[in-house]
Amino acid sequence: WEVVRIPELVELLEEARATAATCERELASSSSRGELVLQVHASRFSAAGAGAGLVLVFHDITELRRLERIRRDFVANVGHELKTPLTAISGYVETLLDGALDTRADLERFLARIQANTQRLSHLVSDLLSLARIESGKSIQRIEPLGTHDAIDQALRQHEPGARAKALTLELARDSVDRRVLADAEAVRQILDNLIDNAIKYTQRGSVRVRSRDSGEFVCLEVEDTGLGIPEQDRERVFERFFTVDRARSSELGGTGLGLSIVRHLVVGMRGRLELDSELGRGSTFRVLLPRADR
Ligand SMILES: Nc1ncnc2c1ncn2[C@@H]1O[C@H](COP(=O)(O)OP(=O)(O)OP(=O)(O)O)[C@@H](O)[C@H]1O
Ligand SMILES: [Mg+2]
């Protein structure tokens, strides 16, 4: 005979004793060892000769509840991120309809904001679709030998206008060596695109340099900037979905915090590794290590 000290459990035992039906309770506790959620079912039984008793079945549903919370947070985040540009767009349209249509300068200013918010929405939707595809395991299609300088050149060309608009140097580092990696071309394109986009977005002045170099059995693709840097406590978290270092700095720049989570998924999907070095106020270096094609 054990004394039960958990009040919810005592309650459950008493309830089960009073009825023929199965009763249920959820017990949650959190301690320094972590969180624990148990689902307990209690049912009365009687066996000939053995008298009567209660059977208790305990299910550990900690992981299930954690996943449910992640899903809820995800939906709330998506809702919020969709709502912000939509509110802006409808605000500008309303102002235009209310009379701001009359002056050409106003008209252009409002239309430009509507366009910027529309782009933000469309960027968000493509990131969400990307994430969904990645998570269903469909994004890494074909692993094949791929030249790193080809991939880097292509990415640099695409971001040239963005770098020029901020007067940043964007280039292939002089010490870069052309190597071949075993990777999916589209995934590498998406990875470099996100890393270079961030490097330009979070750098006020200076340069963004991209290089590939040998690193043991891997080839390292490196994107180095002289930008804002990332505080130490956030360096792990920047790879989480919707995480942004500073809401204000990101929303001003139109970021939703999905880019690096997409990068991480793709790198892991190609059996690569991801590293980050950063110094606040001095810059950041993101490294993607991919398996070498020729060993
Ligand atoms: N090169 C960088 N320098 C400084 N901070 C960075 C850099 N790259 C990422 N960060 C920080 O990490 C956060 C997460 O980056 P991530 O690319 O996932 O999201 P985002 O750029 O805000 O939005 P998105 O890429 O979805 O448009 C950013 O909000 C930013 O605060
Ligand atoms: Mg980004």
Side-chain angles (χ1 to χ4, degrees):
W1 180 255
E2 275 281 340
V3 178
V4 177
R5 291 192 187 82
I6 306 167
E8 291 97 325
L9 202 52
V10 175
E11 218 177 83
L12 173 68
L13 293 175
E14 275 162 7
E15 190 184 325
R17 242 193 346 214
T19 164
T22 302
C23 305
E24 188 217 307
R25 280 284 187 297
E26 213 169 285
L27 310 177
S29 79
S30 65
S31 68
S32 56
R33 274 173 297 151
E35 192 191 3
L36 180 70
V37 188
L38 293 174
Q39 185 182 46
V40 193
H41 284 99
S43 194
R44 217 169 54 190
F45 86 103
S46 55
L54 288 172
V55 184
L56 294 179
V57 179
F58 292 79
H59 268 131
D60 184 344
I61 54 166
T62 315
E63 183 62 10
L64 183 69
R65 289 287 180 265
R66 193 182 68 85
L67 292 174
E68 280 171 1
R69 197 168 53 234
I70 290 176
R71 187 189 56 79
R72 264 199 316 274
D73 289 353
F74 181 76
V75 173
N77 272 317
V78 171
H80 176 79
E81 294 295 340
L82 287 171
K83 188 111 210 249
T84 311
L86 278 175
T87 308
I89 292 170
S90 68
Y92 292 128
V93 170
E94 220 164 278
T95 318
L96 284 173
L97 290 175
D98 281 352
L101 273 172
D102 300 342
T103 55
R104 183 155 184 99
D106 276 350
L107 186 60
E108 274 174 13
R109 200 155 46 92
F110 286 127
L111 285 177
R113 299 216 183 122
I114 290 171
Q115 185 182 35
N117 279 285
T118 315
Q119 275 162 1
R120 181 171 171 180
L121 266 181
S122 126
H123 175 93
L124 172 64
V125 171
S126 15
D127 275 357
L128 287 172
L129 290 174
S130 246
L131 260 186
R133 210 173 51 240
I134 288 167
E135 286 182 346
S136 67
K138 284 192 207 127
S139 60
I140 308 293
Q141 296 284 352
R142 208 167 63 184
I143 301 279
E144 57 188 349
L146 200 78
T148 52
H149 277 191
D150 269 356
I152 294 174
D153 283 341
Q154 208 184 329
L156 290 179
R157 261 201 307 278
Q158 203 188 326
H159 286 279
E160 218 166 75
R164 201 172 327 117
K166 292 181 79 177
L168 299 173
T169 306
L170 172 67
E171 61 185 16
L172 177 72
R174 247 174 258 142
D175 57 355
S176 182
V177 284
D178 196 9
R179 288 286 178 260
R180 273 154 39 104
V181 289
L182 281 177
D184 176 283
E186 173 55 24
V188 171
R189 189 199 63 71
Q190 227 177 332
I191 290 169
L192 286 173
D193 180 42
N194 270 299
L195 294 181
I196 297 174
D197 178 66
N198 282 348
I200 293 174
K201 193 156 61 171
Y202 302 111
T203 300
Q204 251 67 298
R205 66 187 75 83
S207 61
V208 175
R209 290 205 167 77
V210 187
R211 63 166 62 76
S212 74
R213 58 183 179 77
D214 291 322
S215 177
E217 55 185 314
F218 290 98
V219 172
C220 175
L221 291 178
E222 200 168 89
V223 179
E224 181 188 33
D225 67 53
T226 58
L228 297 172
I230 299 168
E232 185 162 6
Q233 73 269 18
D234 294 333
R235 279 178 214 157
E236 290 277 326
R237 301 206 59 202
V238 289
F239 298 103
E240 291 173 14
R241 292 190 302 209
F242 293 111
F243 183 85
T244 52
V245 168
D246 170 355
R247 277 259 151 216
R249 100 170 166 192
S250 273
S251 54
E252 187 184 316
L253 297 162
T256 49
L258 287 177
L260 287 178
S261 67
I262 291 175
V263 168
R264 184 180 59 181
H265 271 109
L266 292 172
V267 172
V268 171
M270 294 189 289
R271 299 177 195 288
R273 287 212 314 255
L274 196 53
E275 292 172 1
L276 164 60
D277 263 345
S278 187
E279 208 178 319
L280 206 54
R282 296 196 152 249
S284 314
T285 305
F286 284 83
R287 295 196 188 88
V288 174
L289 293 113
L290 294 171
R292 293 181 62 133
D294 5 61
R295 264 182 263 178

